[in-house]
């Protein structure tokens, strides 16, 4: 099984550690894990041109530099693991910027068929509030992409410095 971990922070703090613990529980011999970190692996904001929706995702100004590679990795994975710390009751801005780039993949636009056979886990950590809304931020996108099974895990942690 190919596992792709998409981290909404570059810190290897609580969120990353919780994600890795979950992966340790799941991974079996022969599984392959790839890790991506935001914003490093996709540092751009959506410009709102909507060329991806109206024409093709290859028209996105971020396609050649970042999205082509990112999308290939997502499409090849069997299990997607999204992790994000809660920032002001929601996912990190870096995670939101990535999800925005996949607006074209929503059911009402151009869903990608391989999503219907994938599973995903959404993991967020917070010091107090916002776990539910941040999990929803990720889950909403994955639902609209058509991911077959989506699991969520929210963990309260101490503030990390
Ligand atoms: C800018 C910022 C905003 C935050 N907003 C919230 C929040 O709304 N609710 C909350 O419970 N924790 C909030 N936190 C705390 C983090 O969610 C929490 O410490 C998280 O586990 C940090 O993950 P990390 O160790 O992977 O960086 C915030 C932290 C930062 C840096």
């Amino acid at each position: 099984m190919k596992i792709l971990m998409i981290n909404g922070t570059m810190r290897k703090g609580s969120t990353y550690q919780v994600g890795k613990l979950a992966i340790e529980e799941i991974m079996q011999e022969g599984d392959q894990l790839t890790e991506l970190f935001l914003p490093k692996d996709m540092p751009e904001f959506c410009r709102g041109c909507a060329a991806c929706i109206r024409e093709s995702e290859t028209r996105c100004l971020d396609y050649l530099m970042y999205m082509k590679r990112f999308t290939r990795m997502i499409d090849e994975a069997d299990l997607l693991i999204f992790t994000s710390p809660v920032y002001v009751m929601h996912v990190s801005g870096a995670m939101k910027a990535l999800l925005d780039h996949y607006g074209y993949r929503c059911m009402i636009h151009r869903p990608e068929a391989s999503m219907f056979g994938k599973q995903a886990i959404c993991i967020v950590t917070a010091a107090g509030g916002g776990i539910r809304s941040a999990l929803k931020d990720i889950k909403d996108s994955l639902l609209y992409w058509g991911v077959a099974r989506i699991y969520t895990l929210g963990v309260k942690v101490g503030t990390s410095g």
Side-chain angles (χ1 to χ4, degrees):
M1 176 167 75
K2 283 190 177 177
I3 304 172
L4 179 63
M5 182 187 201
I6 300 173
N7 295 288
T9 171
M10 286 166 58
R11 284 166 55 82
K12 290 194 170 171
S14 307
T15 315
Y16 179 75
Q17 301 305 335
V18 170
K20 290 293 275 190
L21 284 173
I23 289 167
E24 258 176 45
E25 291 294 316
I26 294 162
M27 245 182 123
Q28 293 180 351
E29 217 181 301
D31 287 350
Q32 184 190 316
L33 172 66
T34 308
E35 300 179 17
L36 293 172
F37 292 88
L38 299 169
K40 177 174 70 67
D41 290 304
M42 215 304 287
E44 300 293 343
F45 287 105
C46 170
R47 293 166 187 79
C49 68
C52 60
I53 296 172
R54 281 187 282 100
E55 296 174 55
S56 162
E57 65 273 20
T58 61
R59 303 279 295 160
C60 176
L61 288 178
D62 304 321
Y63 179 74
L64 285 180
M65 189 78 96
Y66 302 108
M67 292 301 290
K68 185 178 179 187
R69 168 175 174 259
F70 223 110
T71 303
R72 178 178 49 76
M73 288 177 156
I74 286 180
D75 291 351
E76 287 176 0
D78 304 294
L79 173 65
L80 302 168
I81 299 184
F82 289 79
T83 77
S84 177
V86 172
Y87 287 168
V88 195
M89 307 302 279
H90 291 277
V91 284
S92 66
M95 178 61 79
K96 179 69 167 79
L98 175 77
L99 296 173
D100 289 349
H101 276 77
Y102 286 108
Y104 72 92
R105 282 199 159 188
C106 281
M107 281 296 167
I108 52 162
H109 299 302
R110 281 198 319 284
E112 156 64 30
S114 69
M115 291 298 155
F116 306 147
K118 292 189 200 303
Q119 301 193 68
I121 308 176
C122 315
I123 296 172
V124 308
T125 70
I131 286 178
R132 190 179 296 192
S133 43
L135 284 172
K136 187 173 183 302
D137 291 336
I138 307 171
K139 193 176 174 186
D140 280 353
S141 274
L142 302 186
L143 274 173
Y144 288 124
W145 293 3
V147 173
R149 285 210 175 154
I150 305 167
Y151 303 90
T152 57
L153 174 66
V155 180
K156 279 194 186 180
V157 297
T159 40
S160 43

